[in-house]
Amino acid sequence: ALVYQILYKPPQPILQLWPECPREVAELIGKCLEKQPEARFPSLREVIAKLAAGQTCVYTSSTAHVLVDVIGYSVTIPT
């Protein structure tokens, strides 16, 4: 039952769960959760680039890390 839902049923839209979510972030999350692999981002770097385009991401070259601040959480991803 659970595996079937994960594989075949679309997730509940993030804006229904979190109405205050910025539209760009909701779209990004939706794309990450696509069922078909070709519809998702091909890599984490693509996700980071999309976040950076929306100014949700800060790149610090001196530390060679990317700081992503989304939904109140900060994550450091080594580059």
Side-chain angles (χ1 to χ4, degrees):
L2 178 61
V3 173
Y4 177 84
Q5 289 182 3
I6 291 170
L7 292 174
Y8 300 107
K9 296 214 174 210
Q12 188 174 3
I14 189 71
L15 290 173
Q16 286 181 0
L17 300 170
W18 180 31
E20 301 83 23
C21 179
R23 184 182 52 80
E24 296 82 8
V25 174
E27 290 172 1
L28 181 130
I29 292 169
K31 186 167 180 164
C32 289
L33 295 176
E34 286 288 341
K35 300 297 180 191
Q36 300 300 318
E38 60 274 2
R40 296 190 296 257
F41 290 100
S43 70
L44 179 59
R45 291 194 189 284
E46 299 282 333
V47 175
I48 292 169
K50 181 72 172 175
L51 288 169
Q55 299 177 0
T56 314
C57 176
V58 177
Y59 177 69
T60 310
S61 60
S62 62
T63 61
H65 285 73
V66 175
L67 175 65
V68 181
D69 186 3
V70 180
I71 319 174
Y73 295 96
S74 294
V75 180
T76 301
I77 303 168
T79 55

